[in-house]
mmCIF file of all heavy atoms in Angstrom:
data_model
loop_
_atom_site.group_PDB
_atom_site.id
_atom_site.type_symbol
_atom_site.label_atom_id
_atom_site.label_comp_id
_atom_site.label_asym_id
_atom_site.label_seq_id
_atom_site.Cartn_x
_atom_site.Cartn_y
_atom_site.Cartn_z
ATOM 1 N N ASP M 291 90.676 89.789 75.086
ATOM 2 C CA ASP M 291 89.346 89.958 74.591
ATOM 3 C C ASP M 291 89.254 89.755 73.100
ATOM 4 O O ASP M 291 88.282 89.300 72.590
ATOM 5 C CB ASP M 291 88.852 91.396 74.904
ATOM 6 C CG ASP M 291 88.544 91.625 76.383
ATOM 7 O OD1 ASP M 291 88.330 90.576 77.066
ATOM 8 O OD2 ASP M 291 88.584 92.729 76.849
ATOM 9 N N GLN M 292 90.329 90.172 72.379
ATOM 10 C CA GLN M 292 90.344 89.963 70.762
ATOM 11 C C GLN M 292 90.600 88.593 70.339
ATOM 12 O O GLN M 292 89.956 88.110 69.524
ATOM 13 C CB GLN M 292 91.297 90.994 70.387
ATOM 14 C CG GLN M 292 91.410 90.944 68.782
ATOM 15 C CD GLN M 292 92.523 91.904 68.248
ATOM 16 O OE1 GLN M 292 93.056 92.705 69.027
ATOM 17 N NE2 GLN M 292 92.787 91.918 66.923
ATOM 18 N N TYR M 293 91.600 87.823 71.112
ATOM 19 C CA TYR M 293 92.018 86.596 70.604
ATOM 20 C C TYR M 293 91.455 85.411 71.410
ATOM 21 O O TYR M 293 91.606 84.359 70.889
ATOM 22 C CB TYR M 293 93.476 86.612 70.446
ATOM 23 C CG TYR M 293 94.036 87.490 69.473
ATOM 24 C CD1 TYR M 293 94.646 88.711 69.833
ATOM 25 C CD2 TYR M 293 94.156 87.139 68.077
ATOM 26 C CE1 TYR M 293 95.179 89.592 68.805
ATOM 27 C CE2 TYR M 293 94.559 88.016 67.124
ATOM 28 C CZ TYR M 293 95.238 89.193 67.530
ATOM 29 O OH TYR M 293 95.642 90.082 66.595
ATOM 30 N N GLY M 294 90.997 85.611 72.520
ATOM 31 C CA GLY M 294 90.531 84.650 73.347
ATOM 32 C C GLY M 294 91.383 84.416 74.644
ATOM 33 O O GLY M 294 92.571 84.661 74.492
ATOM 34 N N ILE M 295 90.728 84.136 75.702
ATOM 35 C CA ILE M 295 91.360 84.083 77.041
ATOM 36 C C ILE M 295 92.407 82.959 77.079
ATOM 37 O O ILE M 295 93.326 82.933 77.997
ATOM 38 C CB ILE M 295 90.280 83.924 78.276
ATOM 39 C CG1 ILE M 295 90.983 84.483 79.531
ATOM 40 C CG2 ILE M 295 89.785 82.484 78.250
ATOM 41 C CD1 ILE M 295 91.309 85.859 79.649
ATOM 42 N N GLU M 296 92.298 81.916 76.185
ATOM 43 C CA GLU M 296 93.193 80.917 76.233
ATOM 44 C C GLU M 296 94.336 81.019 75.020
ATOM 45 O O GLU M 296 95.120 80.000 74.891
ATOM 46 C CB GLU M 296 92.468 79.484 75.975
ATOM 47 C CG GLU M 296 91.428 79.226 77.022
ATOM 48 C CD GLU M 296 92.025 78.495 78.262
ATOM 49 O OE1 GLU M 296 93.305 78.630 78.356
ATOM 50 O OE2 GLU M 296 91.270 78.167 79.212
ATOM 51 N N TYR M 297 94.346 82.103 74.454
ATOM 52 C CA TYR M 297 95.316 82.152 73.360
ATOM 53 C C TYR M 297 96.746 81.964 73.835
ATOM 54 O O TYR M 297 97.186 82.768 74.739
ATOM 55 C CB TYR M 297 95.159 83.657 72.779
ATOM 56 C CG TYR M 297 95.736 83.860 71.330
ATOM 57 C CD1 TYR M 297 95.112 83.314 70.267
ATOM 58 C CD2 TYR M 297 96.909 84.503 71.292
ATOM 59 C CE1 TYR M 297 95.658 83.370 69.017
ATOM 60 C CE2 TYR M 297 97.540 84.721 69.853
ATOM 61 C CZ TYR M 297 96.951 84.110 68.858
ATOM 62 O OH TYR M 297 97.511 84.300 67.567
ATOM 63 N N GLU M 298 97.456 81.063 73.148
ATOM 64 C CA GLU M 298 98.692 80.612 73.693
ATOM 65 C C GLU M 298 99.915 81.560 73.409
ATOM 66 O O GLU M 298 100.935 81.400 74.155
ATOM 67 C CB GLU M 298 98.960 79.181 73.131
ATOM 68 C CG GLU M 298 97.973 78.143 73.697
ATOM 69 C CD GLU M 298 98.461 76.755 73.300
ATOM 70 O OE1 GLU M 298 99.350 76.510 72.613
ATOM 71 O OE2 GLU M 298 97.581 75.768 73.824
ATOM 72 N N THR M 299 99.855 82.368 72.403
ATOM 73 C CA THR M 299 101.019 83.139 72.047
ATOM 74 C C THR M 299 100.601 84.489 72.416
ATOM 75 O O THR M 299 101.023 85.529 71.655
ATOM 76 C CB THR M 299 101.433 83.048 70.578
ATOM 77 O OG1 THR M 299 100.327 83.135 69.748
ATOM 78 C CG2 THR M 299 101.975 81.535 70.375
ATOM 79 N N ILE M 300 99.919 84.825 73.341
ATOM 80 C CA ILE M 300 99.294 86.230 73.641
ATOM 81 C C ILE M 300 100.528 87.109 74.054
ATOM 82 O O ILE M 300 100.564 88.290 73.719
ATOM 83 C CB ILE M 300 98.288 86.146 74.837
ATOM 84 C CG1 ILE M 300 97.590 87.477 74.825
ATOM 85 C CG2 ILE M 300 99.007 85.900 76.186
ATOM 86 C CD1 ILE M 300 96.479 87.521 73.650
ATOM 87 N N PHE M 301 101.561 86.623 74.757
ATOM 88 C CA PHE M 301 102.693 87.593 75.158
ATOM 89 C C PHE M 301 103.403 88.033 73.822
ATOM 90 O O PHE M 301 103.972 89.163 73.847
ATOM 91 C CB PHE M 301 103.624 86.788 76.019
ATOM 92 C CG PHE M 301 103.248 86.935 77.458
ATOM 93 C CD1 PHE M 301 101.977 87.455 77.857
ATOM 94 C CD2 PHE M 301 103.937 86.397 78.441
ATOM 95 C CE1 PHE M 301 101.491 87.546 79.105
ATOM 96 C CE2 PHE M 301 103.546 86.389 79.898
ATOM 97 C CZ PHE M 301 102.326 86.997 80.128
ATOM 98 N N GLN M 302 103.452 87.312 72.786
ATOM 99 C CA GLN M 302 104.118 87.528 71.552
ATOM 100 C C GLN M 302 103.339 88.703 70.924
ATOM 101 O O GLN M 302 103.854 89.719 70.440
ATOM 102 C CB GLN M 302 104.251 86.354 70.644
ATOM 103 C CG GLN M 302 105.374 85.457 70.932
ATOM 104 C CD GLN M 302 104.836 84.201 71.858
ATOM 105 O OE1 GLN M 302 103.897 84.482 72.655
ATOM 106 N NE2 GLN M 302 105.280 83.044 71.623
ATOM 107 N N LYS M 303 101.909 88.479 70.857
ATOM 108 C CA LYS M 303 101.023 89.558 70.403
ATOM 109 C C LYS M 303 101.296 90.909 71.121
ATOM 110 O O LYS M 303 101.336 91.987 70.549
ATOM 111 C CB LYS M 303 99.697 89.102 70.366
ATOM 112 C CG LYS M 303 99.244 87.988 69.527
ATOM 113 C CD LYS M 303 99.018 88.332 68.128
ATOM 114 C CE LYS M 303 98.561 87.336 67.222
ATOM 115 N NZ LYS M 303 98.419 87.762 65.812
ATOM 116 N N PHE M 304 101.377 90.763 72.531
ATOM 117 C CA PHE M 304 101.582 91.863 73.399
ATOM 118 C C PHE M 304 102.766 92.553 73.095
ATOM 119 O O PHE M 304 102.750 93.860 72.870
ATOM 120 C CB PHE M 304 101.557 91.271 74.721
ATOM 121 C CG PHE M 304 102.028 92.352 75.753
ATOM 122 C CD1 PHE M 304 101.128 93.375 76.206
ATOM 123 C CD2 PHE M 304 103.303 92.265 76.395
ATOM 124 C CE1 PHE M 304 101.522 94.296 77.138
ATOM 125 C CE2 PHE M 304 103.651 93.090 77.337
ATOM 126 C CZ PHE M 304 102.993 94.193 77.640
ATOM 127 N N LEU M 305 103.951 91.865 72.916
ATOM 128 C CA LEU M 305 105.183 92.582 72.787
ATOM 129 C C LEU M 305 105.231 93.194 71.270
ATOM 130 O O LEU M 305 105.791 94.373 71.185
ATOM 131 C CB LEU M 305 106.339 91.675 72.817
ATOM 132 C CG LEU M 305 106.739 91.162 74.295
ATOM 133 C CD1 LEU M 305 107.769 90.029 74.252
ATOM 134 C CD2 LEU M 305 107.200 92.313 75.148
ATOM 135 N N LYS M 306 104.590 92.563 70.360
ATOM 136 C CA LYS M 306 104.665 93.138 69.072
ATOM 137 C C LYS M 306 103.751 94.430 68.985
ATOM 138 O O LYS M 306 104.143 95.348 68.451
ATOM 139 C CB LYS M 306 103.961 92.090 68.068
ATOM 140 C CG LYS M 306 103.995 92.422 66.575
ATOM 141 C CD LYS M 306 105.309 92.192 66.005
ATOM 142 C CE LYS M 306 105.299 92.451 64.504
ATOM 143 N NZ LYS M 306 106.558 92.321 63.897
ATOM 144 N N LYS M 307 102.637 94.395 69.635
ATOM 145 C CA LYS M 307 101.768 95.564 69.751
ATOM 146 C C LYS M 307 102.431 96.751 70.514
ATOM 147 O O LYS M 307 102.364 97.903 70.063
ATOM 148 C CB LYS M 307 100.515 95.275 70.339
ATOM 149 C CG LYS M 307 99.474 96.315 70.424
ATOM 150 C CD LYS M 307 98.150 95.974 71.025
ATOM 151 C CE LYS M 307 97.184 97.085 70.928
ATOM 152 N NZ LYS M 307 96.637 97.476 69.643
ATOM 153 N N LEU M 308 103.199 96.444 71.514
ATOM 154 C CA LEU M 308 103.732 97.382 72.419
ATOM 155 C C LEU M 308 105.010 97.941 71.944
ATOM 156 O O LEU M 308 105.396 99.160 71.944
ATOM 157 C CB LEU M 308 104.034 96.836 73.813
ATOM 158 C CG LEU M 308 104.203 97.839 74.995
ATOM 159 C CD1 LEU M 308 102.921 98.550 75.220
ATOM 160 C CD2 LEU M 308 104.622 97.026 76.239
ATOM 161 N N THR M 309 105.840 97.092 71.274
ATOM 162 C CA THR M 309 107.252 97.472 70.793
ATOM 163 C C THR M 309 107.488 97.367 69.413
ATOM 164 O O THR M 309 108.591 97.838 68.848
ATOM 165 C CB THR M 309 108.264 96.711 71.600
ATOM 166 O OG1 THR M 309 108.259 95.455 71.132
ATOM 167 C CG2 THR M 309 108.108 96.796 73.122
ATOM 168 N N GLY M 310 106.546 96.677 68.654
ATOM 169 C CA GLY M 310 106.798 96.476 67.236
ATOM 170 C C GLY M 310 107.625 95.241 66.859
ATOM 171 O O GLY M 310 107.797 94.915 65.812
ATOM 172 N N GLN M 311 108.061 94.632 67.958
ATOM 173 C CA GLN M 311 108.898 93.322 67.710
ATOM 174 C C GLN M 311 108.830 92.446 68.919
ATOM 175 O O GLN M 311 108.372 92.830 69.951
ATOM 176 C CB GLN M 311 110.331 93.744 67.443
ATOM 177 C CG GLN M 311 110.964 94.408 68.545
ATOM 178 C CD GLN M 311 112.441 94.810 68.335
ATOM 179 O OE1 GLN M 311 112.912 94.602 67.165
ATOM 180 N NE2 GLN M 311 113.206 95.490 69.233
ATOM 181 N N VAL M 312 109.314 91.196 68.772
ATOM 182 C CA VAL M 312 109.314 90.191 69.885
ATOM 183 C C VAL M 312 110.758 90.064 70.251
ATOM 184 O O VAL M 312 111.598 89.507 69.667
ATOM 185 C CB VAL M 312 108.735 88.918 69.441
ATOM 186 C CG1 VAL M 312 108.851 87.974 70.608
ATOM 187 C CG2 VAL M 312 107.220 89.075 69.050
ATOM 188 N N ASN M 313 111.070 90.589 71.507
ATOM 189 C CA ASN M 313 112.508 90.364 72.098
ATOM 190 C C ASN M 313 112.276 89.005 72.875
ATOM 191 O O ASN M 313 111.528 88.877 73.866
ATOM 192 C CB ASN M 313 112.731 91.492 73.054
ATOM 193 C CG ASN M 313 114.103 91.261 73.653
ATOM 194 O OD1 ASN M 313 114.383 90.211 74.242
ATOM 195 N ND2 ASN M 313 114.911 92.325 73.640
ATOM 196 N N TYR M 314 112.927 87.995 72.459
ATOM 197 C CA TYR M 314 112.729 86.604 73.012
ATOM 198 C C TYR M 314 113.316 86.416 74.460
ATOM 199 O O TYR M 314 112.880 85.638 75.136
ATOM 200 C CB TYR M 314 113.217 85.634 72.047
ATOM 201 C CG TYR M 314 112.331 85.297 70.938
ATOM 202 C CD1 TYR M 314 112.399 86.086 69.749
ATOM 203 C CD2 TYR M 314 111.256 84.347 71.065
ATOM 204 C CE1 TYR M 314 111.440 85.913 68.732
ATOM 205 C CE2 TYR M 314 110.289 84.287 70.034
ATOM 206 C CZ TYR M 314 110.416 84.992 68.884
ATOM 207 O OH TYR M 314 109.521 84.894 67.848
ATOM 208 N N ASP M 315 114.255 87.217 74.857
ATOM 209 C CA ASP M 315 114.887 87.401 76.155
ATOM 210 C C ASP M 315 113.748 87.795 77.016
ATOM 211 O O ASP M 315 113.370 87.125 78.067
ATOM 212 C CB ASP M 315 116.046 88.207 76.235
ATOM 213 C CG ASP M 315 116.641 88.340 77.631
ATOM 214 O OD1 ASP M 315 116.375 87.271 78.449
ATOM 215 O OD2 ASP M 315 117.281 89.249 77.889
ATOM 216 N N ILE M 316 113.088 88.943 76.724
ATOM 217 C CA ILE M 316 112.025 89.510 77.617
ATOM 218 C C ILE M 316 110.777 88.590 77.630
ATOM 219 O O ILE M 316 110.227 88.291 78.667
ATOM 220 C CB ILE M 316 111.686 90.877 76.980
ATOM 221 C CG1 ILE M 316 112.791 91.940 77.309
ATOM 222 C CG2 ILE M 316 110.382 91.443 77.563
ATOM 223 C CD1 ILE M 316 112.580 93.286 76.718
ATOM 224 N N LEU M 317 110.454 88.015 76.390
ATOM 225 C CA LEU M 317 109.424 86.981 76.263
ATOM 226 C C LEU M 317 109.604 85.842 77.203
ATOM 227 O O LEU M 317 108.669 85.540 77.913
ATOM 228 C CB LEU M 317 109.268 86.477 74.822
ATOM 229 C CG LEU M 317 108.139 85.534 74.589
ATOM 230 C CD1 LEU M 317 106.771 85.904 74.915
ATOM 231 C CD2 LEU M 317 108.285 85.009 73.097
ATOM 232 N N ALA M 318 110.700 85.311 77.273
ATOM 233 C CA ALA M 318 110.981 84.113 78.046
ATOM 234 C C ALA M 318 110.868 84.420 79.525
ATOM 235 O O ALA M 318 110.362 83.586 80.277
ATOM 236 C CB ALA M 318 112.349 83.628 77.783
ATOM 237 N N HIS M 319 111.285 85.690 80.073
ATOM 238 C CA HIS M 319 111.071 85.977 81.346
ATOM 239 C C HIS M 319 109.701 86.047 81.687
ATOM 240 O O HIS M 319 109.201 85.640 82.674
ATOM 241 C CB HIS M 319 111.708 87.417 81.589
ATOM 242 C CG HIS M 319 113.246 87.305 81.791
ATOM 243 N ND1 HIS M 319 114.167 87.237 80.888
ATOM 244 C CD2 HIS M 319 114.014 87.224 83.001
ATOM 245 C CE1 HIS M 319 115.435 87.137 81.356
ATOM 246 N NE2 HIS M 319 115.301 87.051 82.686
ATOM 247 N N GLY M 320 108.858 86.692 80.733
ATOM 248 C CA GLY M 320 107.412 86.811 81.150
ATOM 249 C C GLY M 320 106.669 85.439 81.089
ATOM 250 O O GLY M 320 105.838 85.242 82.017
ATOM 251 N N ILE M 321 106.925 84.549 80.270
ATOM 252 C CA ILE M 321 106.392 83.230 80.110
ATOM 253 C C ILE M 321 106.835 82.417 81.308
ATOM 254 O O ILE M 321 105.904 81.705 82.069
ATOM 255 C CB ILE M 321 106.758 82.450 78.804
ATOM 256 C CG1 ILE M 321 106.090 83.230 77.713
ATOM 257 C CG2 ILE M 321 106.301 81.057 78.960
ATOM 258 C CD1 ILE M 321 106.535 82.661 76.319
ATOM 259 N N SER M 322 108.071 82.511 81.700
ATOM 260 C CA SER M 322 108.518 81.720 82.898
ATOM 261 C C SER M 322 107.749 82.236 84.175
ATOM 262 O O SER M 322 107.438 81.303 84.975
ATOM 263 C CB SER M 322 109.906 81.887 83.089
ATOM 264 O OG SER M 322 110.489 81.210 84.146
ATOM 265 N N ALA M 323 107.666 83.398 84.370
ATOM 266 C CA ALA M 323 107.042 83.974 85.513
ATOM 267 C C ALA M 323 105.498 83.725 85.553
ATOM 268 O O ALA M 323 104.943 83.280 86.598
ATOM 269 C CB ALA M 323 107.174 85.512 85.669
ATOM 270 N N TYR M 324 104.928 83.852 84.363
ATOM 271 C CA TYR M 324 103.467 83.439 84.257
ATOM 272 C C TYR M 324 103.290 82.014 84.703
ATOM 273 O O TYR M 324 102.444 81.650 85.363
ATOM 274 C CB TYR M 324 102.964 83.565 82.776
ATOM 275 C CG TYR M 324 101.599 83.245 82.549
ATOM 276 C CD1 TYR M 324 100.722 84.259 82.344
ATOM 277 C CD2 TYR M 324 101.205 81.982 82.272
ATOM 278 C CE1 TYR M 324 99.214 83.958 82.165
ATOM 279 C CE2 TYR M 324 99.865 81.574 82.074
ATOM 280 C CZ TYR M 324 98.924 82.715 82.016
ATOM 281 O OH TYR M 324 97.665 82.370 81.808
ATOM 282 N N ARG M 325 103.982 81.090 84.099
ATOM 283 C CA ARG M 325 103.864 79.620 84.391
ATOM 284 C C ARG M 325 104.059 79.334 85.828
ATOM 285 O O ARG M 325 103.501 78.476 86.469
ATOM 286 C CB ARG M 325 104.719 78.806 83.502
ATOM 287 C CG ARG M 325 104.329 78.771 82.040
ATOM 288 C CD ARG M 325 105.414 77.999 81.171
ATOM 289 N NE ARG M 325 104.811 77.940 79.835
ATOM 290 C CZ ARG M 325 105.568 77.497 78.746
ATOM 291 N NH1 ARG M 325 106.764 77.148 78.983
ATOM 292 N NH2 ARG M 325 105.028 77.369 77.482
ATOM 293 N N LYS M 326 105.115 79.980 86.478
ATOM 294 C CA LYS M 326 105.466 79.724 87.933
ATOM 295 C C LYS M 326 104.150 80.069 88.783
ATOM 296 O O LYS M 326 103.733 79.299 89.608
ATOM 297 C CB LYS M 326 106.635 80.458 88.330
ATOM 298 C CG LYS M 326 106.985 80.282 89.812
ATOM 299 C CD LYS M 326 108.235 80.963 90.242
ATOM 300 C CE LYS M 326 108.587 80.716 91.595
ATOM 301 N NZ LYS M 326 109.818 81.489 92.041
ATOM 302 N N VAL M 327 103.650 81.219 88.507
ATOM 303 C CA VAL M 327 102.479 81.647 89.323
ATOM 304 C C VAL M 327 101.242 80.789 89.009
ATOM 305 O O VAL M 327 100.490 80.605 89.908
ATOM 306 C CB VAL M 327 102.184 83.130 88.979
ATOM 307 C CG1 VAL M 327 100.841 83.578 89.680
ATOM 308 C CG2 VAL M 327 103.365 83.999 89.558
ATOM 309 N N ALA M 328 101.090 80.393 87.830
ATOM 310 C CA ALA M 328 99.966 79.578 87.426
ATOM 311 C C ALA M 328 99.865 78.254 88.307
ATOM 312 O O ALA M 328 98.883 77.864 88.807
ATOM 313 C CB ALA M 328 99.907 79.197 85.986
ATOM 314 N N VAL M 329 100.994 77.673 88.350
ATOM 315 C CA VAL M 329 101.065 76.352 89.096
ATOM 316 C C VAL M 329 100.731 76.642 90.632
ATOM 317 O O VAL M 329 99.956 75.858 91.260
ATOM 318 C CB VAL M 329 102.571 75.863 89.170
ATOM 319 C CG1 VAL M 329 102.759 74.683 90.112
ATOM 320 C CG2 VAL M 329 102.885 75.296 87.731
ATOM 321 N N GLU M 330 101.084 77.826 91.167
ATOM 322 C CA GLU M 330 100.755 78.100 92.562
ATOM 323 C C GLU M 330 99.314 78.497 92.686
ATOM 324 O O GLU M 330 98.711 78.338 93.845
ATOM 325 C CB GLU M 330 101.680 79.324 93.048
ATOM 326 C CG GLU M 330 103.110 79.002 93.059
ATOM 327 C CD GLU M 330 104.058 80.242 93.199
ATOM 328 O OE1 GLU M 330 103.508 81.329 93.240
ATOM 329 O OE2 GLU M 330 105.254 80.070 93.369
ATOM 330 N N HIS M 331 98.626 79.113 91.752
ATOM 331 C CA HIS M 331 97.342 79.718 91.865
ATOM 332 C C HIS M 331 96.135 78.776 91.313
ATOM 333 O O HIS M 331 94.942 79.028 91.448
ATOM 334 C CB HIS M 331 97.161 81.026 91.176
ATOM 335 C CG HIS M 331 97.954 81.994 92.078
ATOM 336 N ND1 HIS M 331 99.314 82.079 92.264
ATOM 337 C CD2 HIS M 331 97.350 83.178 92.688
ATOM 338 C CE1 HIS M 331 99.497 83.223 92.957
ATOM 339 N NE2 HIS M 331 98.372 83.931 93.237
ATOM 340 N N ILE M 332 96.459 77.656 90.583
ATOM 341 C CA ILE M 332 95.397 76.774 90.252
ATOM 342 C C ILE M 332 95.134 75.858 91.365
ATOM 343 O O ILE M 332 95.630 74.814 91.631
ATOM 344 C CB ILE M 332 95.856 75.946 88.998
ATOM 345 C CG1 ILE M 332 96.275 76.810 87.846
ATOM 346 C CG2 ILE M 332 94.724 75.022 88.522
ATOM 347 C CD1 ILE M 332 96.710 76.101 86.598
ATOM 348 N N VAL M 333 94.160 76.341 92.195
ATOM 349 C CA VAL M 333 93.703 75.673 93.357
ATOM 350 C C VAL M 333 92.168 75.579 93.367
ATOM 351 O O VAL M 333 91.472 76.482 92.799
ATOM 352 C CB VAL M 333 94.178 76.289 94.692
ATOM 353 C CG1 VAL M 333 95.674 76.350 94.857
ATOM 354 C CG2 VAL M 333 93.692 77.818 94.807
ATOM 355 N N PRO M 334 91.602 74.492 93.935
ATOM 356 C CA PRO M 334 90.036 74.434 93.839
ATOM 357 C C PRO M 334 89.474 75.425 94.844
ATOM 358 O O PRO M 334 90.192 75.859 95.880
ATOM 359 C CB PRO M 334 89.931 72.997 94.359
ATOM 360 C CG PRO M 334 91.098 72.622 95.121
ATOM 361 C CD PRO M 334 92.211 73.310 94.554
ATOM 362 N N TYR M 335 88.293 75.864 94.573
ATOM 363 C CA TYR M 335 87.539 76.621 95.459
ATOM 364 C C TYR M 335 87.290 75.810 96.711
ATOM 365 O O TYR M 335 87.425 74.645 96.733
ATOM 366 C CB TYR M 335 86.041 76.852 94.869
ATOM 367 C CG TYR M 335 85.864 78.152 93.828
ATOM 368 C CD1 TYR M 335 85.548 77.739 92.591
ATOM 369 C CD2 TYR M 335 86.227 79.375 94.288
ATOM 370 C CE1 TYR M 335 85.457 78.832 91.710
ATOM 371 C CE2 TYR M 335 86.067 80.321 93.281
ATOM 372 C CZ TYR M 335 85.611 80.120 91.994
ATOM 373 O OH TYR M 335 85.581 81.020 91.052
#
């Protein structure tokens, strides 16, 4: 809501807000899972 629904580094902002830092191992797991599900769920009505 603050940065926009298409904000590309939102997980970095999220981790920074939640933990005060960006753990890139954790970040990579999140991004990888996000992208995998996106491919499966971008389907036409």
